[in-house]
Structure formats: C-alpha cells, structure tokens
Amino acid sequence: MARAALSSGRFNQGPARFAMLLPAASVAAASLLAALPIVSTSGWYPDFGYLVLIAWRLLRADPWPAWWAAPLGLVNDLFTGYPIGFSIALWSATMLALDLIDRRTMWRDYWIEWVLAAVLITIDEGLQWRVAGAVGAAPPFAAMVPPLAISICVFPLVAWIVSRLDAWRLGR
C-alpha cells in the first residue's frame, strides 16, 4: 500500500495554478447565473451565489479571508438586482456567524451542516421578502416557500460540486 502511494508520482506537485482564486471565482460565476434569460413571475430559482458561498465556507474556512464577503456580495448585488448593500451585509453577517459557529462547535457532520445551511437560507429568503415589501413589491409569503424549498433541497448538490472543485483545486 505504501509503495503504491509512493510510486504514484504525486510528490512536489502543489495545488493547481490560481487555486486560491477558485473559491471567489466560483461564487462570482454562481452569482452570474442570475443573468440567464429566465422569465418568471415569481423568483423560483435560488440565489446560487449565496449557496456556493455557504458551501465553500462550510467545506473549508482557510481560503476565506473575512473581507471577501463584501466584494463578493457587491458582485451578487450587481448581477441579481438586489438593492446595493443587501448581499454585502447578509454575506458579511453569514461569514461572521459561521466563524462564531466554527469556534463554538467541536465537530460537525453532514446533517448539522445541512441544517445550518437551511437556517441561513431561510434567513436569506426572509430578508429578501422583507426588502421586497419595503420597496413596494410585497409578494405574499406563500410565494417565498417554493424558492426556499428548492434552495434547501439543492444545497447538498451545490456542496458536492464545491467539494469536487476543492479536490481539483488541491490536486487530489
């Protein structure tokens, strides 16, 4: 077993080129999905940028300086049409909350991370509903349930895709 590992030739190969930029680039690319020409009377699609941010942050905390939340949130605000500052504030608060949770918990497993993501996604959808009401586009709360359910159900797939990107990023 050890000889097979030693003969694989994977020594001195470091991470892929520009590997440290992949988390931020994937979050920005996921935010760009809002620019797809999808016409809908109600926003049924999730905020993919936020889902990818949560997935990366739950997977690995080390490539994420705390200040990245602000510029990535600005990119999300610009492409999704949210009021400028909404994603900046929400994503900064999310990063701070996840840092606090990392310090307080001894261990996490898949189910705890999914529940944690579900709580954060619920807060995001609730704040979107409140902001929509504040600007005069008050949708009924029942209209927020399908995007919330879709976001929570899609999160494990997004987390799996992010874990594959991380494996590629680190050259595993």
Side-chain angles (χ1 to χ4, degrees), residues 11-160:
F11 290 109
N12 296 327
Q13 285 190 350
R17 190 173 178 158
F18 303 113
M20 295 309 294
L21 299 177
L22 184 63
S26 62
V27 170
S31 293
L32 286 173
L33 289 176
L36 290 175
I38 298 173
V39 178
S40 145
T41 57
S42 67
W44 57 267
Y45 49 88
D47 184 359
F48 285 109
Y50 190 61
L51 293 179
V52 172
L53 176 87
I54 293 171
W56 269 111
R57 182 54 185 80
L58 288 175
L59 179 67
R60 300 182 60 85
D62 54 334
W64 289 101
W67 60 269
W68 273 17
L72 290 174
L74 178 64
V75 167
N76 193 57
D77 284 339
L78 292 175
F79 287 108
T80 58
Y82 297 140
I84 300 296
F86 176 77
S87 294
I88 296 170
L90 176 70
W91 291 19
S92 297
T94 298
M95 295 289 271
L96 292 174
L98 289 174
D99 282 341
L100 183 66
I101 290 169
D102 278 344
R103 290 184 182 176
R104 299 288 181 212
T105 56
M106 298 302 270
W107 56 271
R108 289 193 319 238
D109 67 347
Y110 175 77
W111 296 105
I112 292 174
E113 288 188 353
W114 196 6
V115 168
L116 180 60
V119 168
L120 292 171
I121 292 167
T122 303
I123 291 170
D124 174 43
E125 291 290 332
L127 287 175
Q128 288 179 23
W129 180 68
R130 298 290 290 182
V131 168
V135 296
F141 187 74
M144 298 304 291
V145 174
L148 178 62
I150 290 171
S151 298
I152 291 171
C153 292
V154 165
F155 179 76
L157 176 64
V158 171
W160 180 81

